Every structure is written in C-alpha cells, then in structure tokens.
C-alpha cells in the first residue's frame, strides 16, 4: 500500500472512533474527567510542594509547570493514538484474535497501532497544551515560530519514545502469557519524566537519565522552550527516539515470527 | 454450621486464591519500590537548601511515605470494587441470595484474607531494600501512638472496604463502573495523603480534609504512627473515623437492598 493509502486508512479509523465515542457520550465525558482529575492531582502536588519551597533542582514553579505540561502533553498524545491499540494487542495475542490483523492487507505493526483512537484523551491534549501555554506566559517567554516548531518536533520525538517503550512491553506477550502489571510499570516509569534532570544523582542518574529514556522525553522539549535550541540535547533526544524505536520494532518483528496463533 | 466456622472457611479459601496471584503481587510491590524512589528523589530535591518543610525534616517526611506504602498493602482496597461489580454483572450474586451467607460479610472476609497475603508479600522486598534507606528514616517511639494507631488502622481498612463495596454496587445501576472507580481513586490519592502529607495543605484546607472520609483511608493511621498528629488530634480523629464508618456502612446496606430490587438475575 502506498503512503497515501496508509494516511487515508488512519484518517478513516480516527473518524470512525470519533463517531463511536460521540455515540457513547456519558462514557466519553466520564473518561475525559478521569484523565482531567489525574492531571489535577499532579498539578496539586506541584503547587503544594512549591508553597513550601522556591525551587526543585534549580527549577522554579512556572518552569516546573512547563515540564509537567510537556510530560502530560506527550502522555495524552500516546493515550489518544496508541494506548488502547497496544494494550489490546497483548490481549489479542493471548486469545488468537491477533490473526485478524495479520490477515489485513497492510503492514501488521501499522494495522495494530492505528485501529483505535481515543477522543477523550485527545480532548485532554488541549488541557495539557493549555498548561504549557500558561507556564510560558507566567515565565514571560516569547517563543518565535521556529522555537514552537522545534518544541513540537521534540514532543513528537518524546511520543516516539513513549510509543516504543509501550510497544516493547506489549510485544513481550509473544513470549510470556501473562503481562498484566506491565502497564503499571509504564506508569511508574513515566512518573520520573515529571522531574527535572538536575535532581537525579548517583545510581538514579545512571538508570533514569542514561539507561532508560524517562527523563530525556520531557526535559529536552521543556528546555528548548526555556533556554533555546541546543543541538547536542536535540541530537540526544532524536538519537534515543531512533534507538528505542529500532529496538521495539525489532522485538515486535521477532515476536511476530514466533507467533503461532491460538486455537479458539 | 456456626457463623464463625462459615466465615473461617471463606477466609481460608480467600488465602488460597490470593496466593495464586503471588507473582502479580510481588511485581506490584517491586513497582511500588520504584515509585518510592521517585518520592525520595522528589522530596530530597525539595528539601535541598532547607531542613524544614511544614515543621518536619526530610527523614520524617520520607518515613511518612514509606510507612504509607507498607500500610497500603495491608489495608487498602485493591480490586474489590471491580470484583463486586463483576459478581453483579455476571449474576454470580444470585447464589448468595439463596444461601445463608451475607454478601457484605463474605466480601469483607475475603478482603481481610487478601490483605494478609498482599501485606506479607510486600514486606519481603521492602525488608530486603531496607538497609538502603534505613538511615534516612525517623520513627517516633511514643507508646500512645501504637495504642491509637492500631484501632485507626483497623477502622481505615474497614472504611477502605466500605467505599470499594459502595462503588462495586454501582454495577446494579451502571453497565460500566471502571471510570467511576478510577475517578474516585484520583480523589482518594490526593485527599488520602498519598501525593503529599495533608498537613502541608493550607490550614483551612487541612481542617476541611479532616471531615472527609478520604482522610481516614490512609493519612490518619500513617500520621499517627509517624508523628504528624498529636494525641488530641488523634482522639478527635478516631471519633470522626467511627462516624464515617457508620455512614459508609449504612450507605452500603441501603444500596444493596435498593440494588436487589432492580436486579434481574442475569445468567447464574
């Protein structure tokens, strides 16, 4: 299928999911509220800590809000586009329903990743974006068009890293039967992306900054808005995005070879 | 069969079925240790340049979070609400309507057996990791704290269960209750003191939180044991906690009788 075909297919899936979400309006409102509440929880924690201290790792309150907003923005995008797809992939591999995706005339990874789209998460992308704009305003920053473009690009790299981590954990289902609890691992890991890099010392620095891509996903985009474009930081972000994407796709492909369906 | 013997069997069965999921629980407690390192990093950074936040030093605050984590595995409701909802949806509760067993007591017994297992399994990794952070902790040793802490813990467990029970019973009215559960979890996480010690809130907000049931889910017993509340506050708290337990139990009973009137016994 040519690229344009894939794009049209994805758009059709998005349109279908959006219509579906609006058919179940009460559910849509409840789930949008759920995410909104969880974002408020994190915002409240930052506010309470900053009512007792003026900085964390050298970051002031509005700087921290920018970091938090960036981290939420990436996470909401992941939830909106990929979360339920990859979450269900694990379940489908176990049940054998995964066959259905292999039978479709297209790249299996694309088919698996784009089938559903969560409108409730996407509505919270606007809220997270609002937090970023608020923080930028509080800081008195005046980003130009190129700064905004770079920030968006950095957030998309962050999204690619989140996607890879999720795909990697979901692909483990090809080998293990039970993988519940792995989502818990994802959420635990993303907690660290709400912290500035400066607070990581010793072992934590090695693990969360250098080995796992927990800190780079949020810190590099936020820093780009705060202190302008730094080629080395961008190279680091782009490099990790490509590396993690490569690892995740390779693991997925290996798993696919191993997949032997399941009888019904 | 005597009432006690009946629920003793439920308890023992509950122990066995919880032990089946021991690896899930072990994984969860491993994740919670990672979460604890997040808490230690965040608060360690917040304390840099000052020795006091809200009248407590870093060691006291870290002790609070560690104690809360351990207590959580012993008293907090985990998926009881979901299980109760499933029982209703699948028609599994029909058998309880026909047998001389009370559903609330049945579920409560299972809850206690499950917490015994999760608590014991969570202690293991924490005890292994203990030497790593033992010198960053500071636990008060006043004997009254244990005397007040023990009943506070028991009442907290009962409140946790009662709230989960109420949410589970919503399945009589709604097809899908998961969104209610996660929504309320967000509120419980903040107002139960899991994100930050509630005493760091502005005075009026802290006072207000003491009249809400969430305060008595986690914060109250933890704060007694880790020295964040004095004896007068603890005495007052125990009374309010008892009142909340009564109210929540009443709501649970009311929803049960009301719900059964709507119940149409699907499947079985």
């Amino acid at each position: 299928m040519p690229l344009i075909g894939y794009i049209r297919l994805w758009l059709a899936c998005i349109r279908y999911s959006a219509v579906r979400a609006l058919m179940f309006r009460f559910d849509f409102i409840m789930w949008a509220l759920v995410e909104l509440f969880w974002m408020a929880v994190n915002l409240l924690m930052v506010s309470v800590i900053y009512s007792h201290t003026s900085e964390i790792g050298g970051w002031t309150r509005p700087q921290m809000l920018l970091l938090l907003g960036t981290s939420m923005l990436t996470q909401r995008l992941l939830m909106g586009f990929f979360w339920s797809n990859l979450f269900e992939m694990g379940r489908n591999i176990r049940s054998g329903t995964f066959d259905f995706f292999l039978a479709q005339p297209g790249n299996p990874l694309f088919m698996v990743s784009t089938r559903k789209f969560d409108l409730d998460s996407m509505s919270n992308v606007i809220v997270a974006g609002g937090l970023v704009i608020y923080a930028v305003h509080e800081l008195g920053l005046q980003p130009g068009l190129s700064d905004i473009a770079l920030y968006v690009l950095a957030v998309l790299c962050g999204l690619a890293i989140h996607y890879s981590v999720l795909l990697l954990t979901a692909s483990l289902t090809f080998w293990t039967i039970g993988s519940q609890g792995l989502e818990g691992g994802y959420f635990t890991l993303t907690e660290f992306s709400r912290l500035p890099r400066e607070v990581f010392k010793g072992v934590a620095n090695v693990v969360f900054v250098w080995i796992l891509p927990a800190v780079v996903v949020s810190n590099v985009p936020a820093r780009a808005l705060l202190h302008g474009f730094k080629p080395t930081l961008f190279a680091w972000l782009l490099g990790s995005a490509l590396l993690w994407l490569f690892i995740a796709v390779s693991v997925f492909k290996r798993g696919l070879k191993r997949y032997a369906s399941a009888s019904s | 069969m005597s009432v006690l013997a009946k629920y003793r069997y439920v308890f023992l069965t509950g122990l066995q079925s919880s032990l089946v999921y021991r690896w899930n629980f072990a994984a969860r407690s491993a994740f919670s240790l990672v979460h604890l390192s997040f808490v230690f990093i965040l608060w360690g950074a917040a304390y840099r340049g000052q020795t006091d936040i809200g009248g407590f030093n870093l060691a006291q605050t870290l002790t609070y979070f560690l104690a809360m984590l351990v207590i959580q595995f012993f008293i907090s409701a985990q998926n009881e609400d979901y299980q109760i909802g499933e029982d209703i949806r699948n028609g599994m509760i029909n058998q309880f309507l026909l047998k001389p067993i009370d559903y609330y007591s049945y579920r409560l017994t299972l809850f206690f057996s499950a917490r015994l297992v999760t608590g014991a399994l969570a202690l293991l990794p924490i005890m292994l990791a203990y030497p790593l952070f033992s010198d960053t902790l500071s636990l008060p040793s006043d004997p009254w704290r244990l005397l007040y802490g023990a009943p506070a813990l028991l009442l907290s467990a009962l409140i946790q269960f009662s709230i989960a029970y109420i949410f589970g019973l919503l399945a009589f009215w709604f097809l899908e209750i998961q969104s209610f559960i996660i929504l309320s979890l967000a509120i419980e996480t903040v107002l139960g003191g899991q994100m930050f010690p509630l005493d760091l809130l502005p005075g009026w907000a802290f006072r207000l939180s003491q009249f809400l049931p969430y305060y008595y889910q986690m914060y109250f017993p933890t704060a007694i044991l880790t020295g964040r509340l004095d004896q007068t506050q603890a005495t007052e708290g125990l009374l309010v906690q008892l009142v909340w337990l009564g109210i929540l139990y009443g709501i649970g009973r009311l929803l049960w009788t009301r719900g059964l009137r709507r119940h149409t016994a699907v499947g079985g």
Side-chain angles (χ1 to χ4, degrees), chain A residues 31 34 38 41 44 52-53 181 185 188 191-192 195 199 201, chain B residues 31 34-35 38 42 45-46 48 50 176 179 182-183 189-190 200:
Chain A
W31 282 109
V34 165
W38 276 104
V41 165
L44 202 63
H52 293 273
T53 185
T188 312
E191 270 191 321
F192 292 91
L195 294 177
V199 303
K201 302 261 153 53
Chain B
F31 286 141
V34 180
H35 170 73
F38 164 81
L42 174 65
R48 214 156 288 153
Q50 56 188 344
E176 200 244 19
S179 56
I182 304 182
L183 195 65
T189 304
V190 174
L200 295 187

PDB file of all heavy atoms in Angstrom, chain A residues 31 34 38 41 44 52-53 181 185 188 191-192 195 199 201, chain B residues 31 34-35 38 42 45-46 48 50 176 179 182-183 189-190 200:
ATOM      1  N   TRP A  31     -14.630   9.383  31.040  1.00  0.00           N
ATOM      2  CA  TRP A  31     -13.207   9.083  30.847  1.00  0.00           C
ATOM      3  C   TRP A  31     -12.389  10.343  30.657  1.00  0.00           C
ATOM      4  O   TRP A  31     -11.232  10.420  31.088  1.00  0.00           O
ATOM      5  CB  TRP A  31     -12.999   8.104  29.694  1.00  0.00           C
ATOM      6  CG  TRP A  31     -13.316   6.703  30.105  1.00  0.00           C
ATOM      7  CD1 TRP A  31     -14.379   5.959  29.710  1.00  0.00           C
ATOM      8  CD2 TRP A  31     -12.583   5.901  31.047  1.00  0.00           C
ATOM      9  NE1 TRP A  31     -14.357   4.737  30.345  1.00  0.00           N
ATOM     10  CE2 TRP A  31     -13.276   4.669  31.158  1.00  0.00           C
ATOM     11  CE3 TRP A  31     -11.431   6.092  31.809  1.00  0.00           C
ATOM     12  CZ2 TRP A  31     -12.837   3.640  31.998  1.00  0.00           C
ATOM     13  CZ3 TRP A  31     -10.993   5.061  32.637  1.00  0.00           C
ATOM     14  CH2 TRP A  31     -11.699   3.862  32.727  1.00  0.00           C
ATOM     15  N   VAL A  34     -11.879  11.533  34.096  1.00  0.00           N
ATOM     16  CA  VAL A  34     -10.884  10.722  34.802  1.00  0.00           C
ATOM     17  C   VAL A  34      -9.477  11.268  34.546  1.00  0.00           C
ATOM     18  O   VAL A  34      -8.702  11.518  35.476  1.00  0.00           O
ATOM     19  CB  VAL A  34     -10.953   9.245  34.353  1.00  0.00           C
ATOM     20  CG1 VAL A  34      -9.720   8.485  34.773  1.00  0.00           C
ATOM     21  CG2 VAL A  34     -12.191   8.572  34.915  1.00  0.00           C
ATOM     22  N   TRP A  38      -6.738  13.207  37.087  1.00  0.00           N
ATOM     23  CA  TRP A  38      -5.379  12.740  37.360  1.00  0.00           C
ATOM     24  C   TRP A  38      -4.351  13.817  37.044  1.00  0.00           C
ATOM     25  O   TRP A  38      -3.328  13.922  37.706  1.00  0.00           O
ATOM     26  CB  TRP A  38      -5.074  11.449  36.602  1.00  0.00           C
ATOM     27  CG  TRP A  38      -5.579  10.279  37.370  1.00  0.00           C
ATOM     28  CD1 TRP A  38      -6.694   9.549  37.093  1.00  0.00           C
ATOM     29  CD2 TRP A  38      -5.038   9.725  38.573  1.00  0.00           C
ATOM     30  NE1 TRP A  38      -6.867   8.578  38.050  1.00  0.00           N
ATOM     31  CE2 TRP A  38      -5.862   8.652  38.970  1.00  0.00           C
ATOM     32  CE3 TRP A  38      -3.925  10.020  39.376  1.00  0.00           C
ATOM     33  CZ2 TRP A  38      -5.623   7.883  40.104  1.00  0.00           C
ATOM     34  CZ3 TRP A  38      -3.678   9.249  40.503  1.00  0.00           C
ATOM     35  CH2 TRP A  38      -4.523   8.201  40.860  1.00  0.00           C
ATOM     36  N   VAL A  41      -4.397  16.114  39.944  1.00  0.00           N
ATOM     37  CA  VAL A  41      -3.687  15.538  41.085  1.00  0.00           C
ATOM     38  C   VAL A  41      -2.204  15.926  41.039  1.00  0.00           C
ATOM     39  O   VAL A  41      -1.634  16.385  42.036  1.00  0.00           O
ATOM     40  CB  VAL A  41      -3.825  13.997  41.085  1.00  0.00           C
ATOM     41  CG1 VAL A  41      -2.830  13.349  42.026  1.00  0.00           C
ATOM     42  CG2 VAL A  41      -5.236  13.583  41.436  1.00  0.00           C
ATOM     43  N   LEU A  44      -1.696  19.646  41.621  1.00  0.00           N
ATOM     44  CA  LEU A  44      -1.875  19.977  43.029  1.00  0.00           C
ATOM     45  C   LEU A  44      -0.622  19.634  43.828  1.00  0.00           C
ATOM     46  O   LEU A  44      -0.193  20.396  44.696  1.00  0.00           O
ATOM     47  CB  LEU A  44      -3.072  19.193  43.571  1.00  0.00           C
ATOM     48  CG  LEU A  44      -3.737  19.765  44.810  1.00  0.00           C
ATOM     49  CD1 LEU A  44      -4.321  21.122  44.492  1.00  0.00           C
ATOM     50  CD2 LEU A  44      -4.833  18.831  45.293  1.00  0.00           C
ATOM     51  N   HIS A  52       5.922  25.439  49.838  1.00  0.00           N
ATOM     52  CA  HIS A  52       6.873  25.305  50.947  1.00  0.00           C
ATOM     53  C   HIS A  52       8.324  25.463  50.512  1.00  0.00           C
ATOM     54  O   HIS A  52       9.217  25.450  51.349  1.00  0.00           O
ATOM     55  CB  HIS A  52       6.703  23.941  51.624  1.00  0.00           C
ATOM     56  CG  HIS A  52       5.393  23.792  52.318  1.00  0.00           C
ATOM     57  ND1 HIS A  52       5.191  24.202  53.614  1.00  0.00           N
ATOM     58  CD2 HIS A  52       4.210  23.310  51.889  1.00  0.00           C
ATOM     59  CE1 HIS A  52       3.936  23.960  53.961  1.00  0.00           C
ATOM     60  NE2 HIS A  52       3.310  23.418  52.931  1.00  0.00           N
ATOM     61  N   THR A  53       8.560  25.532  49.212  1.00  0.00           N
ATOM     62  CA  THR A  53       9.935  25.665  48.748  1.00  0.00           C
ATOM     63  C   THR A  53       9.928  26.511  47.469  1.00  0.00           C
ATOM     64  O   THR A  53       8.898  26.602  46.802  1.00  0.00           O
ATOM     65  CB  THR A  53      10.579  24.277  48.489  1.00  0.00           C
ATOM     66  OG1 THR A  53      11.941  24.469  48.155  1.00  0.00           O
ATOM     67  CG2 THR A  53       9.898  23.523  47.357  1.00  0.00           C
ATOM     68  N   GLY A 181       0.173  -5.888  34.711  1.00  0.00           N
ATOM     69  CA  GLY A 181       1.166  -5.319  35.608  1.00  0.00           C
ATOM     70  C   GLY A 181       2.227  -4.572  34.834  1.00  0.00           C
ATOM     71  O   GLY A 181       2.861  -3.676  35.363  1.00  0.00           O
ATOM     72  N   GLY A 185       4.049  -0.783  35.168  1.00  0.00           N
ATOM     73  CA  GLY A 185       5.455  -0.433  35.018  1.00  0.00           C
ATOM     74  C   GLY A 185       5.626   0.810  34.169  1.00  0.00           C
ATOM     75  O   GLY A 185       6.424   1.688  34.486  1.00  0.00           O
ATOM     76  N   THR A 188       4.686   3.846  36.265  1.00  0.00           N
ATOM     77  CA  THR A 188       5.707   4.117  37.280  1.00  0.00           C
ATOM     78  C   THR A 188       6.902   4.810  36.641  1.00  0.00           C
ATOM     79  O   THR A 188       7.455   5.764  37.187  1.00  0.00           O
ATOM     80  CB  THR A 188       6.162   2.795  37.936  1.00  0.00           C
ATOM     81  OG1 THR A 188       4.998   2.056  38.298  1.00  0.00           O
ATOM     82  CG2 THR A 188       6.990   3.046  39.167  1.00  0.00           C
ATOM     83  N   GLU A 191       6.413   8.536  35.668  1.00  0.00           N
ATOM     84  CA  GLU A 191       6.450   9.475  36.802  1.00  0.00           C
ATOM     85  C   GLU A 191       7.756  10.275  36.800  1.00  0.00           C
ATOM     86  O   GLU A 191       7.764  11.460  37.097  1.00  0.00           O
ATOM     87  CB  GLU A 191       6.395   8.699  38.114  1.00  0.00           C
ATOM     88  CG  GLU A 191       5.025   8.445  38.635  1.00  0.00           C
ATOM     89  CD  GLU A 191       5.045   7.906  40.058  1.00  0.00           C
ATOM     90  OE1 GLU A 191       5.931   7.080  40.386  1.00  0.00           O
ATOM     91  OE2 GLU A 191       4.201   8.309  40.823  1.00  0.00           O
ATOM     92  N   PHE A 192       8.836   9.579  36.448  1.00  0.00           N
ATOM     93  CA  PHE A 192      10.153  10.216  36.510  1.00  0.00           C
ATOM     94  C   PHE A 192      10.311  11.307  35.462  1.00  0.00           C
ATOM     95  O   PHE A 192      11.175  12.162  35.587  1.00  0.00           O
ATOM     96  CB  PHE A 192      11.254   9.165  36.362  1.00  0.00           C
ATOM     97  CG  PHE A 192      11.331   8.248  37.541  1.00  0.00           C
ATOM     98  CD1 PHE A 192      10.601   7.074  37.561  1.00  0.00           C
ATOM     99  CD2 PHE A 192      12.105   8.575  38.643  1.00  0.00           C
ATOM    100  CE1 PHE A 192      10.650   6.232  38.661  1.00  0.00           C
ATOM    101  CE2 PHE A 192      12.158   7.735  39.741  1.00  0.00           C
ATOM    102  CZ  PHE A 192      11.423   6.564  39.748  1.00  0.00           C
ATOM    103  N   LEU A 195      10.117  15.002  36.515  1.00  0.00           N
ATOM    104  CA  LEU A 195      11.164  15.592  37.359  1.00  0.00           C
ATOM    105  C   LEU A 195      12.255  16.202  36.489  1.00  0.00           C
ATOM    106  O   LEU A 195      12.576  15.679  35.432  1.00  0.00           O
ATOM    107  CB  LEU A 195      11.784  14.507  38.246  1.00  0.00           C
ATOM    108  CG  LEU A 195      10.900  13.883  39.305  1.00  0.00           C
ATOM    109  CD1 LEU A 195      11.646  12.788  40.042  1.00  0.00           C
ATOM    110  CD2 LEU A 195      10.389  14.926  40.280  1.00  0.00           C
ATOM    111  N   VAL A 199      17.749  16.761  39.456  1.00  0.00           N
ATOM    112  CA  VAL A 199      17.526  16.125  40.759  1.00  0.00           C
ATOM    113  C   VAL A 199      18.054  14.691  40.785  1.00  0.00           C
ATOM    114  O   VAL A 199      18.112  14.079  41.844  1.00  0.00           O
ATOM    115  CB  VAL A 199      16.036  16.123  41.168  1.00  0.00           C
ATOM    116  CG1 VAL A 199      15.481  17.534  41.185  1.00  0.00           C
ATOM    117  CG2 VAL A 199      15.205  15.234  40.255  1.00  0.00           C
ATOM    118  N   LYS A 201      20.728  11.958  40.965  1.00  0.00           N
ATOM    119  CA  LYS A 201      22.132  11.841  41.372  1.00  0.00           C
ATOM    120  C   LYS A 201      22.492  10.358  41.460  1.00  0.00           C
ATOM    121  O   LYS A 201      21.631   9.515  41.705  1.00  0.00           O
ATOM    122  CB  LYS A 201      22.333  12.488  42.754  1.00  0.00           C
ATOM    123  CG  LYS A 201      21.946  13.960  42.812  1.00  0.00           C
ATOM    124  CD  LYS A 201      23.168  14.828  42.697  1.00  0.00           C
ATOM    125  CE  LYS A 201      22.917  16.186  42.126  1.00  0.00           C
ATOM    126  NZ  LYS A 201      22.032  17.120  42.511  1.00  0.00           N
TER     127      LYS A 201
ATOM    128  N   PHE B  31       7.184  -2.609  41.744  1.00  0.00           N
ATOM    129  CA  PHE B  31       6.900  -1.306  41.145  1.00  0.00           C
ATOM    130  C   PHE B  31       6.765  -0.238  42.219  1.00  0.00           C
ATOM    131  O   PHE B  31       7.179   0.901  42.033  1.00  0.00           O
ATOM    132  CB  PHE B  31       5.606  -1.347  40.328  1.00  0.00           C
ATOM    133  CG  PHE B  31       5.749  -2.070  39.027  1.00  0.00           C
ATOM    134  CD1 PHE B  31       4.739  -2.893  38.558  1.00  0.00           C
ATOM    135  CD2 PHE B  31       6.892  -1.924  38.260  1.00  0.00           C
ATOM    136  CE1 PHE B  31       4.865  -3.561  37.360  1.00  0.00           C
ATOM    137  CE2 PHE B  31       7.029  -2.585  37.059  1.00  0.00           C
ATOM    138  CZ  PHE B  31       6.013  -3.407  36.609  1.00  0.00           C
ATOM    139  N   VAL B  34       9.945   1.205  43.107  1.00  0.00           N
ATOM    140  CA  VAL B  34      10.406   2.185  42.119  1.00  0.00           C
ATOM    141  C   VAL B  34       9.697   3.518  42.368  1.00  0.00           C
ATOM    142  O   VAL B  34      10.303   4.584  42.325  1.00  0.00           O
ATOM    143  CB  VAL B  34      10.151   1.695  40.680  1.00  0.00           C
ATOM    144  CG1 VAL B  34      10.636   2.710  39.674  1.00  0.00           C
ATOM    145  CG2 VAL B  34      10.843   0.366  40.449  1.00  0.00           C
ATOM    146  N   HIS B  35       8.384   3.419  42.655  1.00  0.00           N
ATOM    147  CA  HIS B  35       7.632   4.637  42.967  1.00  0.00           C
ATOM    148  C   HIS B  35       8.216   5.326  44.211  1.00  0.00           C
ATOM    149  O   HIS B  35       8.324   6.546  44.272  1.00  0.00           O
ATOM    150  CB  HIS B  35       6.158   4.299  43.198  1.00  0.00           C
ATOM    151  CG  HIS B  35       5.367   5.437  43.761  1.00  0.00           C
ATOM    152  ND1 HIS B  35       5.022   6.538  43.018  1.00  0.00           N
ATOM    153  CD2 HIS B  35       4.895   5.664  45.008  1.00  0.00           C
ATOM    154  CE1 HIS B  35       4.359   7.386  43.780  1.00  0.00           C
ATOM    155  NE2 HIS B  35       4.269   6.879  44.989  1.00  0.00           N
ATOM    156  N   PHE B  38      11.034   7.410  43.347  1.00  0.00           N
ATOM    157  CA  PHE B  38      10.559   8.692  42.796  1.00  0.00           C
ATOM    158  C   PHE B  38      10.264   9.679  43.930  1.00  0.00           C
ATOM    159  O   PHE B  38      10.699  10.831  43.900  1.00  0.00           O
ATOM    160  CB  PHE B  38       9.295   8.446  41.957  1.00  0.00           C
ATOM    161  CG  PHE B  38       8.497   9.690  41.645  1.00  0.00           C
ATOM    162  CD1 PHE B  38       8.876  10.534  40.608  1.00  0.00           C
ATOM    163  CD2 PHE B  38       7.369  10.013  42.384  1.00  0.00           C
ATOM    164  CE1 PHE B  38       8.139  11.680  40.327  1.00  0.00           C
ATOM    165  CE2 PHE B  38       6.635  11.153  42.102  1.00  0.00           C
ATOM    166  CZ  PHE B  38       7.019  11.980  41.075  1.00  0.00           C
ATOM    167  N   LEU B  42      12.192  13.188  44.593  1.00  0.00           N
ATOM    168  CA  LEU B  42      11.440  14.449  44.558  1.00  0.00           C
ATOM    169  C   LEU B  42      11.564  15.217  45.872  1.00  0.00           C
ATOM    170  O   LEU B  42      11.896  16.405  45.888  1.00  0.00           O
ATOM    171  CB  LEU B  42       9.965  14.159  44.254  1.00  0.00           C
ATOM    172  CG  LEU B  42       9.020  15.362  44.336  1.00  0.00           C
ATOM    173  CD1 LEU B  42       9.360  16.386  43.269  1.00  0.00           C
ATOM    174  CD2 LEU B  42       7.565  14.916  44.172  1.00  0.00           C
ATOM    175  N   ALA B  45      14.999  16.544  46.712  1.00  0.00           N
ATOM    176  CA  ALA B  45      15.314  17.779  45.982  1.00  0.00           C
ATOM    177  C   ALA B  45      14.565  18.965  46.576  1.00  0.00           C
ATOM    178  O   ALA B  45      15.096  20.074  46.639  1.00  0.00           O
ATOM    179  CB  ALA B  45      14.958  17.610  44.506  1.00  0.00           C
ATOM    180  N   ALA B  46      13.319  18.733  47.028  1.00  0.00           N
ATOM    181  CA  ALA B  46      12.539  19.837  47.606  1.00  0.00           C
ATOM    182  C   ALA B  46      13.171  20.319  48.907  1.00  0.00           C
ATOM    183  O   ALA B  46      13.069  21.497  49.260  1.00  0.00           O
ATOM    184  CB  ALA B  46      11.099  19.387  47.852  1.00  0.00           C
ATOM    185  N   ARG B  48      16.395  20.355  49.532  1.00  0.00           N
ATOM    186  CA  ARG B  48      17.735  20.899  49.364  1.00  0.00           C
ATOM    187  C   ARG B  48      17.718  22.394  49.678  1.00  0.00           C
ATOM    188  O   ARG B  48      16.883  23.127  49.161  1.00  0.00           O
ATOM    189  CB  ARG B  48      18.244  20.654  47.940  1.00  0.00           C
ATOM    190  CG  ARG B  48      19.744  20.414  47.890  1.00  0.00           C
ATOM    191  CD  ARG B  48      20.123  19.612  46.653  1.00  0.00           C
ATOM    192  NE  ARG B  48      19.691  18.210  46.753  1.00  0.00           N
ATOM    193  CZ  ARG B  48      19.425  17.453  45.694  1.00  0.00           C
ATOM    194  NH1 ARG B  48      19.499  17.935  44.487  1.00  0.00           N
ATOM    195  NH2 ARG B  48      19.071  16.192  45.869  1.00  0.00           N
ATOM    196  N   GLN B  50      17.023  23.628  52.634  1.00  0.00           N
ATOM    197  CA  GLN B  50      16.239  23.875  53.851  1.00  0.00           C
ATOM    198  C   GLN B  50      16.095  22.578  54.641  1.00  0.00           C
ATOM    199  O   GLN B  50      16.144  21.483  54.078  1.00  0.00           O
ATOM    200  CB  GLN B  50      14.871  24.462  53.521  1.00  0.00           C
ATOM    201  CG  GLN B  50      14.051  23.627  52.566  1.00  0.00           C
ATOM    202  CD  GLN B  50      12.791  24.351  52.114  1.00  0.00           C
ATOM    203  OE1 GLN B  50      12.374  25.343  52.709  1.00  0.00           O
ATOM    204  NE2 GLN B  50      12.185  23.869  51.063  1.00  0.00           N
ATOM    205  N   GLU B 176     -20.963   0.033  33.180  1.00  0.00           N
ATOM    206  CA  GLU B 176     -19.514   0.096  33.297  1.00  0.00           C
ATOM    207  C   GLU B 176     -19.154   0.982  34.489  1.00  0.00           C
ATOM    208  O   GLU B 176     -19.548   2.146  34.530  1.00  0.00           O
ATOM    209  CB  GLU B 176     -18.947   0.675  31.995  1.00  0.00           C
ATOM    210  CG  GLU B 176     -17.512   0.366  31.796  1.00  0.00           C
ATOM    211  CD  GLU B 176     -16.673   1.610  31.800  1.00  0.00           C
ATOM    212  OE1 GLU B 176     -17.131   2.654  32.295  1.00  0.00           O
ATOM    213  OE2 GLU B 176     -15.557   1.538  31.325  1.00  0.00           O
ATOM    214  N   SER B 179     -14.800   3.626  35.168  1.00  0.00           N
ATOM    215  CA  SER B 179     -14.465   5.047  35.148  1.00  0.00           C
ATOM    216  C   SER B 179     -14.777   5.713  36.493  1.00  0.00           C
ATOM    217  O   SER B 179     -14.027   6.556  36.963  1.00  0.00           O
ATOM    218  CB  SER B 179     -15.177   5.759  34.006  1.00  0.00           C
ATOM    219  OG  SER B 179     -16.566   5.561  34.089  1.00  0.00           O
ATOM    220  N   ILE B 182     -11.835   4.776  38.870  1.00  0.00           N
ATOM    221  CA  ILE B 182     -10.560   5.467  38.667  1.00  0.00           C
ATOM    222  C   ILE B 182     -10.695   6.948  38.983  1.00  0.00           C
ATOM    223  O   ILE B 182      -9.764   7.577  39.485  1.00  0.00           O
ATOM    224  CB  ILE B 182     -10.033   5.228  37.231  1.00  0.00           C
ATOM    225  CG1 ILE B 182      -9.934   3.720  36.980  1.00  0.00           C
ATOM    226  CG2 ILE B 182      -8.664   5.838  37.052  1.00  0.00           C
ATOM    227  CD1 ILE B 182      -9.399   3.348  35.633  1.00  0.00           C
ATOM    228  N   LEU B 183     -11.881   7.492  38.727  1.00  0.00           N
ATOM    229  CA  LEU B 183     -12.133   8.889  39.077  1.00  0.00           C
ATOM    230  C   LEU B 183     -12.021   9.078  40.589  1.00  0.00           C
ATOM    231  O   LEU B 183     -11.363   9.996  41.078  1.00  0.00           O
ATOM    232  CB  LEU B 183     -13.543   9.277  38.608  1.00  0.00           C
ATOM    233  CG  LEU B 183     -13.863  10.755  38.552  1.00  0.00           C
ATOM    234  CD1 LEU B 183     -12.999  11.418  37.500  1.00  0.00           C
ATOM    235  CD2 LEU B 183     -15.330  10.978  38.219  1.00  0.00           C
ATOM    236  N   THR B 189      -6.418   9.476  46.180  1.00  0.00           N
ATOM    237  CA  THR B 189      -4.966   9.572  46.193  1.00  0.00           C
ATOM    238  C   THR B 189      -4.515  10.910  46.784  1.00  0.00           C
ATOM    239  O   THR B 189      -3.586  10.965  47.583  1.00  0.00           O
ATOM    240  CB  THR B 189      -4.413   9.434  44.760  1.00  0.00           C
ATOM    241  OG1 THR B 189      -4.888   8.208  44.233  1.00  0.00           O
ATOM    242  CG2 THR B 189      -2.903   9.400  44.748  1.00  0.00           C
ATOM    243  N   VAL B 190      -5.212  11.977  46.407  1.00  0.00           N
ATOM    244  CA  VAL B 190      -4.849  13.292  46.943  1.00  0.00           C
ATOM    245  C   VAL B 190      -5.317  13.446  48.381  1.00  0.00           C
ATOM    246  O   VAL B 190      -4.527  13.703  49.291  1.00  0.00           O
ATOM    247  CB  VAL B 190      -5.476  14.421  46.097  1.00  0.00           C
ATOM    248  CG1 VAL B 190      -5.214  15.762  46.745  1.00  0.00           C
ATOM    249  CG2 VAL B 190      -4.897  14.403  44.715  1.00  0.00           C
ATOM    250  N   LEU B 200       0.580  19.562  54.900  1.00  0.00           N
ATOM    251  CA  LEU B 200       1.265  20.614  54.132  1.00  0.00           C
ATOM    252  C   LEU B 200       0.276  21.517  53.399  1.00  0.00           C
ATOM    253  O   LEU B 200       0.650  22.542  52.843  1.00  0.00           O
ATOM    254  CB  LEU B 200       2.236  19.998  53.114  1.00  0.00           C
ATOM    255  CG  LEU B 200       3.424  19.230  53.687  1.00  0.00           C
ATOM    256  CD1 LEU B 200       4.373  18.824  52.572  1.00  0.00           C
ATOM    257  CD2 LEU B 200       4.167  20.059  54.714  1.00  0.00           C
TER     258      LEU B 200
END
